[in-house]
Amino acid sequence: LDGVNELTPQDTHFFKVFLDDSSELSGGGDVYVGVADIGDGDNFHDLCLNLPASVEPHIHSIRTPCEIGKTAFYPPKGIYGAPCADVVVPVQRTVYGSLLS
């Protein structure tokens, strides 16, 4: 993102979900439902997924790829096109069973 415009609910391509066997979760729009908790400026986002119960326990990490001009995130007033790096966040489970990263 360019540091000016917010994510939209359809911007799921900014996130990649990986399973504990290192494979990437596939399924496109059938799995990646959308992005929520956007527009409040806190840079926390909810990635909404439609998963079979058998897959959910195997989610291991979320990666935000850095491809300049495609999937790079820039902070507010950041320099668009500046060098960046992929970020990988491990997923943890809460005591209630929901996912947390």
Side-chain angles (χ1 to χ4, degrees), residues 5-58:
N5 297 297
E6 293 278 342
L7 284 175
T8 68
Q10 296 79 29
D11 284 331
T12 58
H13 63 283
F14 282 88
F15 304 93
K16 305 290 182 188
V17 177
F18 286 88
L19 304 176
D20 52 16
D21 67 358
S22 299
S23 65
E24 183 179 342
L25 183 65
S26 60
D30 293 334
V31 171
Y32 291 86
V33 177
V35 182
D37 192 20
I38 54 179
D40 58 8
D42 67 2
N43 288 334
F44 289 95
H45 308 316
D46 295 330
L47 184 57
C48 304
L49 304 171
N50 180 23
L51 300 173
S54 62
V55 172
E56 187 274 329
H58 298 285

